[in-house]
Amino acid sequence: NDEPLRVDIPHKYEVLGNGTQLRVRNIGFADTGAYMCQAGSVGGVARDISSLVVQENPLQREPLQNTRFLVFHDMGLAAYEPDTCRLLHVVQGTDVIPGTQEYVCGDKGTRCSWGRAVNVAERYVYVSQPGRDRVLVISVEQMVVVDVIVTDQYPVELWYVASLDQVWVLNWRSTNDEGIKTIQVIRYASEKKKHHTVHPEPIDGHFDLVKSLFVPPAQDLAHDFRYAYVTHTNQRGLYKLDLANMKYVKTVDLTPYNCVPQGLVYSSLHGLVVVDCAEPITARRTGQLVLDYLTDAVVGVKPSLVGRPYVTPDSQLVVTVDTKARVKIVVQRVTEHGLDYLYDVSTTLNVSDITFFPSRMSHSYDLFAASTDKDDILSLDLHTGE
């Protein structure tokens, strides 16, 4: 409200993430207003404004404005209305792709081969077809295939980088998850045009040494990550990849920690990278490393914390599914010094995957975990741990 904040007031304001986040405590009605953040350099000055409205009681969040979700199955795909699960549209695998003589999946009796699907700018859904060495582009509005993009052999994983309008493709090149993969990029992904793939710059002249690709996801803080990481089979390190220029810019040596990365997640808050480590050859899990995203320096080592890490969309929490002895969900808070332990929850559920959904009762997230062998879903309020 045109007044500078008194950041020197204890227990009221806290500036985090090198000036990228403001935390306000002990909220009162007087805190209602517009908050402006200004940053300047030799290149100029940029400003952004956020509004805060303090009300008597916290309101439940409005339902997400999704219009449909897609289910990919052996016979094709189906679009549903998310609230009522009403079937909206069906695309059969035997349908002919408009403007071509190709089937969506194949002739009668052919099962569909699907990999990963991503939402591109709310206009298109890109979905990989490993068995057909291609990516299909589906118009969300029309629910028809509008483009067929040829890839390297057996494309599986897809990521959409909204700030660059790129779709990144990881091709397994076989039915096995082995370290002979290639990476391709589809540029101008949200534009209405014929698309094709390009390869990023190779490492030592080789395109096919890749084991895994870790592309930063979109997060609530809307920070545009510039780099991704690539790993090679049984190599104790990371290759840092410039997303805009599609070039490798740095090698991160993790030999001192005997760490072959198995998983990797990003936190835009404080710019941290959490790595799930294992020994080479034996693949025995050896804990977590915490890296600084800008310098790639190791700022934390957690040898006893074993399991796959996840980050909440607001970057506040890192959740690790620890399966070393029994299934345990470990929750850590992201701080400027690294990760601080909050609590853990034990479960009899053999967790296969987890996801996060905005809490309707707090300004946090709820966790939902699926099981490998039960028709059960675990729900966890991350704010209360219940």
Side-chain angles (χ1 to χ4, degrees), residues 279-302:
E279 290 181 345
I281 310 300
T282 65
R284 184 182 69 88
R285 287 297 207 273
T286 55
Q288 286 183 354
L289 296 180
V290 182
L291 278 62
D292 181 282
Y293 177 70
L294 291 180
T295 65
D296 301 303
V298 176
V299 297
V301 181
K302 297 178 177 289

mmCIF file of all heavy atoms in Angstrom, residues 279-302:
data_model
loop_
_atom_site.group_PDB
_atom_site.id
_atom_site.type_symbol
_atom_site.label_atom_id
_atom_site.label_comp_id
_atom_site.label_asym_id
_atom_site.label_seq_id
_atom_site.Cartn_x
_atom_site.Cartn_y
_atom_site.Cartn_z
ATOM 1 N N GLU A 279 24.688 -47.152 -4.886
ATOM 2 C CA GLU A 279 26.034 -47.576 -5.278
ATOM 3 C C GLU A 279 26.033 -48.048 -6.728
ATOM 4 O O GLU A 279 25.026 -48.564 -7.220
ATOM 5 C CB GLU A 279 26.512 -48.729 -4.383
ATOM 6 C CG GLU A 279 26.809 -48.340 -2.952
ATOM 7 C CD GLU A 279 27.302 -49.527 -2.146
ATOM 8 O OE1 GLU A 279 27.134 -50.675 -2.634
ATOM 9 O OE2 GLU A 279 27.840 -49.321 -1.047
ATOM 10 N N PRO A 280 27.156 -47.888 -7.438
ATOM 11 C CA PRO A 280 27.239 -48.486 -8.773
ATOM 12 C C PRO A 280 27.248 -50.014 -8.681
ATOM 13 O O PRO A 280 27.581 -50.590 -7.650
ATOM 14 C CB PRO A 280 28.569 -47.952 -9.316
ATOM 15 C CG PRO A 280 29.355 -47.555 -8.110
ATOM 16 C CD PRO A 280 28.373 -47.149 -7.068
ATOM 17 N N ILE A 281 26.835 -50.661 -9.739
ATOM 18 C CA ILE A 281 26.794 -52.122 -9.888
ATOM 19 C C ILE A 281 25.751 -52.760 -8.980
ATOM 20 O O ILE A 281 24.781 -53.358 -9.458
ATOM 21 C CB ILE A 281 28.172 -52.778 -9.644
ATOM 22 C CG1 ILE A 281 29.259 -52.072 -10.473
ATOM 23 C CG2 ILE A 281 28.098 -54.260 -9.987
ATOM 24 C CD1 ILE A 281 29.022 -52.103 -11.964
ATOM 25 N N THR A 282 25.908 -52.631 -7.634
ATOM 26 C CA THR A 282 24.987 -53.305 -6.720
ATOM 27 C C THR A 282 23.645 -52.600 -6.615
ATOM 28 O O THR A 282 22.657 -53.228 -6.236
ATOM 29 C CB THR A 282 25.596 -53.398 -5.315
ATOM 30 O OG1 THR A 282 25.740 -52.071 -4.771
ATOM 31 C CG2 THR A 282 26.957 -54.084 -5.362
ATOM 32 N N ALA A 283 23.611 -51.294 -6.909
ATOM 33 C CA ALA A 283 22.406 -50.467 -6.816
ATOM 34 C C ALA A 283 21.867 -50.381 -5.386
ATOM 35 O O ALA A 283 20.695 -50.056 -5.173
ATOM 36 C CB ALA A 283 21.321 -50.963 -7.756
ATOM 37 N N ARG A 284 22.715 -50.650 -4.405
ATOM 38 C CA ARG A 284 22.290 -50.507 -3.008
ATOM 39 C C ARG A 284 22.088 -49.033 -2.689
ATOM 40 O O ARG A 284 22.955 -48.208 -2.936
ATOM 41 C CB ARG A 284 23.340 -51.100 -2.063
ATOM 42 C CG ARG A 284 22.929 -51.083 -0.594
ATOM 43 C CD ARG A 284 24.025 -51.640 0.302
ATOM 44 N NE ARG A 284 25.184 -50.753 0.345
ATOM 45 C CZ ARG A 284 25.318 -49.738 1.216
ATOM 46 N NH1 ARG A 284 24.352 -49.487 2.094
ATOM 47 N NH2 ARG A 284 26.398 -48.992 1.206
ATOM 48 N N ARG A 285 20.910 -48.708 -2.148
ATOM 49 C CA ARG A 285 20.591 -47.321 -1.840
ATOM 50 C C ARG A 285 21.516 -46.777 -0.758
ATOM 51 O O ARG A 285 21.770 -47.440 0.256
ATOM 52 C CB ARG A 285 19.140 -47.185 -1.388
ATOM 53 C CG ARG A 285 18.099 -47.348 -2.505
ATOM 54 C CD ARG A 285 18.242 -46.243 -3.556
ATOM 55 N NE ARG A 285 17.016 -45.922 -4.259
ATOM 56 C CZ ARG A 285 16.589 -46.538 -5.350
ATOM 57 N NH1 ARG A 285 17.287 -47.534 -5.845
ATOM 58 N NH2 ARG A 285 15.481 -46.148 -5.953
ATOM 59 N N THR A 286 22.006 -45.543 -0.970
ATOM 60 C CA THR A 286 22.977 -44.952 -0.035
ATOM 61 C C THR A 286 22.508 -43.609 0.514
ATOM 62 O O THR A 286 23.305 -42.849 1.047
ATOM 63 C CB THR A 286 24.339 -44.770 -0.725
ATOM 64 O OG1 THR A 286 24.174 -44.000 -1.921
ATOM 65 C CG2 THR A 286 24.963 -46.107 -1.063
ATOM 66 N N GLY A 287 21.209 -43.298 0.386
ATOM 67 C CA GLY A 287 20.695 -42.086 1.012
ATOM 68 C C GLY A 287 20.463 -40.951 0.038
ATOM 69 O O GLY A 287 20.420 -41.129 -1.178
ATOM 70 N N GLN A 288 20.330 -39.751 0.608
ATOM 71 C CA GLN A 288 20.040 -38.561 -0.185
ATOM 72 C C GLN A 288 21.180 -37.552 -0.133
ATOM 73 O O GLN A 288 21.869 -37.432 0.881
ATOM 74 C CB GLN A 288 18.765 -37.870 0.324
ATOM 75 C CG GLN A 288 17.477 -38.582 -0.016
ATOM 76 C CD GLN A 288 16.260 -37.811 0.462
ATOM 77 O OE1 GLN A 288 16.372 -36.788 1.144
ATOM 78 N NE2 GLN A 288 15.075 -38.308 0.114
ATOM 79 N N LEU A 289 21.338 -36.835 -1.248
ATOM 80 C CA LEU A 289 22.195 -35.663 -1.301
ATOM 81 C C LEU A 289 21.319 -34.452 -1.597
ATOM 82 O O LEU A 289 20.340 -34.541 -2.337
ATOM 83 C CB LEU A 289 23.258 -35.783 -2.398
ATOM 84 C CG LEU A 289 24.309 -36.881 -2.273
ATOM 85 C CD1 LEU A 289 25.264 -36.829 -3.464
ATOM 86 C CD2 LEU A 289 25.086 -36.743 -0.974
ATOM 87 N N VAL A 290 21.691 -33.314 -1.019
ATOM 88 C CA VAL A 290 21.020 -32.048 -1.309
ATOM 89 C C VAL A 290 22.031 -31.130 -1.982
ATOM 90 O O VAL A 290 23.105 -30.865 -1.430
ATOM 91 C CB VAL A 290 20.467 -31.399 -0.024
ATOM 92 C CG1 VAL A 290 19.721 -30.108 -0.365
ATOM 93 C CG2 VAL A 290 19.554 -32.361 0.711
ATOM 94 N N LEU A 291 21.704 -30.654 -3.191
ATOM 95 C CA LEU A 291 22.602 -29.813 -3.973
ATOM 96 C C LEU A 291 22.025 -28.410 -4.114
ATOM 97 O O LEU A 291 20.810 -28.214 -4.133
ATOM 98 C CB LEU A 291 22.821 -30.384 -5.375
ATOM 99 C CG LEU A 291 23.845 -31.493 -5.586
ATOM 100 C CD1 LEU A 291 23.491 -32.743 -4.798
ATOM 101 C CD2 LEU A 291 23.957 -31.830 -7.071
ATOM 102 N N ASP A 292 22.929 -27.434 -4.240
ATOM 103 C CA ASP A 292 22.537 -26.085 -4.615
ATOM 104 C C ASP A 292 22.372 -26.046 -6.132
ATOM 105 O O ASP A 292 23.287 -26.414 -6.874
ATOM 106 C CB ASP A 292 23.606 -25.081 -4.168
ATOM 107 C CG ASP A 292 23.236 -23.647 -4.509
ATOM 108 O OD1 ASP A 292 23.398 -23.270 -5.694
ATOM 109 O OD2 ASP A 292 22.807 -22.908 -3.633
ATOM 110 N N TYR A 293 21.194 -25.605 -6.604
ATOM 111 C CA TYR A 293 20.877 -25.682 -8.032
ATOM 112 C C TYR A 293 21.800 -24.808 -8.883
ATOM 113 O O TYR A 293 22.135 -25.185 -10.016
ATOM 114 C CB TYR A 293 19.421 -25.263 -8.233
ATOM 115 C CG TYR A 293 18.965 -25.228 -9.671
ATOM 116 C CD1 TYR A 293 18.805 -26.407 -10.395
ATOM 117 C CD2 TYR A 293 18.690 -24.026 -10.315
ATOM 118 C CE1 TYR A 293 18.371 -26.388 -11.713
ATOM 119 C CE2 TYR A 293 18.248 -23.993 -11.630
ATOM 120 C CZ TYR A 293 18.105 -25.177 -12.319
ATOM 121 O OH TYR A 293 17.674 -25.151 -13.628
ATOM 122 N N LEU A 294 22.231 -23.664 -8.358
ATOM 123 C CA LEU A 294 23.060 -22.759 -9.152
ATOM 124 C C LEU A 294 24.512 -23.218 -9.219
ATOM 125 O O LEU A 294 25.128 -23.229 -10.285
ATOM 126 C CB LEU A 294 22.989 -21.339 -8.582
ATOM 127 C CG LEU A 294 21.639 -20.621 -8.738
ATOM 128 C CD1 LEU A 294 21.708 -19.230 -8.134
ATOM 129 C CD2 LEU A 294 21.253 -20.534 -10.212
ATOM 130 N N THR A 295 25.063 -23.628 -8.079
ATOM 131 C CA THR A 295 26.486 -23.978 -8.031
ATOM 132 C C THR A 295 26.735 -25.472 -8.134
ATOM 133 O O THR A 295 27.874 -25.887 -8.378
ATOM 134 C CB THR A 295 27.098 -23.478 -6.713
ATOM 135 O OG1 THR A 295 26.495 -24.181 -5.608
ATOM 136 C CG2 THR A 295 26.867 -21.980 -6.544
ATOM 137 N N ASP A 296 25.706 -26.291 -7.924
ATOM 138 C CA ASP A 296 25.799 -27.757 -7.898
ATOM 139 C C ASP A 296 26.653 -28.274 -6.747
ATOM 140 O O ASP A 296 27.077 -29.433 -6.747
ATOM 141 C CB ASP A 296 26.344 -28.293 -9.227
ATOM 142 C CG ASP A 296 25.463 -27.903 -10.403
ATOM 143 O OD1 ASP A 296 24.277 -28.235 -10.372
ATOM 144 O OD2 ASP A 296 25.961 -27.252 -11.334
ATOM 145 N N ALA A 297 26.904 -27.414 -5.764
ATOM 146 C CA ALA A 297 27.644 -27.843 -4.579
ATOM 147 C C ALA A 297 26.733 -28.676 -3.682
ATOM 148 O O ALA A 297 25.536 -28.395 -3.551
ATOM 149 C CB ALA A 297 28.165 -26.638 -3.810
ATOM 150 N N VAL A 298 27.289 -29.714 -3.054
ATOM 151 C CA VAL A 298 26.539 -30.540 -2.110
ATOM 152 C C VAL A 298 26.430 -29.789 -0.789
ATOM 153 O O VAL A 298 27.434 -29.467 -0.159
ATOM 154 C CB VAL A 298 27.213 -31.904 -1.909
ATOM 155 C CG1 VAL A 298 26.481 -32.713 -0.848
ATOM 156 C CG2 VAL A 298 27.257 -32.680 -3.219
ATOM 157 N N VAL A 299 25.197 -29.496 -0.366
ATOM 158 C CA VAL A 299 24.975 -28.738 0.863
ATOM 159 C C VAL A 299 24.354 -29.597 1.964
ATOM 160 O O VAL A 299 24.150 -29.121 3.074
ATOM 161 C CB VAL A 299 24.083 -27.507 0.596
ATOM 162 C CG1 VAL A 299 24.768 -26.555 -0.361
ATOM 163 C CG2 VAL A 299 22.717 -27.915 0.045
ATOM 164 N N GLY A 300 24.048 -30.863 1.648
ATOM 165 C CA GLY A 300 23.484 -31.744 2.658
ATOM 166 C C GLY A 300 23.647 -33.196 2.273
ATOM 167 O O GLY A 300 23.565 -33.550 1.101
ATOM 168 N N VAL A 301 23.912 -34.054 3.274
ATOM 169 C CA VAL A 301 24.069 -35.488 3.070
ATOM 170 C C VAL A 301 23.205 -36.210 4.103
ATOM 171 O O VAL A 301 23.329 -35.950 5.305
ATOM 172 C CB VAL A 301 25.536 -35.932 3.216
ATOM 173 C CG1 VAL A 301 25.660 -37.427 2.974
ATOM 174 C CG2 VAL A 301 26.441 -35.158 2.269
ATOM 175 N N LYS A 302 22.329 -37.098 3.633
ATOM 176 C CA LYS A 302 21.437 -37.832 4.525
ATOM 177 C C LYS A 302 21.547 -39.326 4.206
ATOM 178 O O LYS A 302 20.688 -39.893 3.525
ATOM 179 C CB LYS A 302 20.004 -37.335 4.372
ATOM 180 C CG LYS A 302 19.816 -35.868 4.775
ATOM 181 C CD LYS A 302 18.400 -35.394 4.563
ATOM 182 C CE LYS A 302 18.224 -33.968 5.042
ATOM 183 N NZ LYS A 302 18.267 -33.844 6.501
#
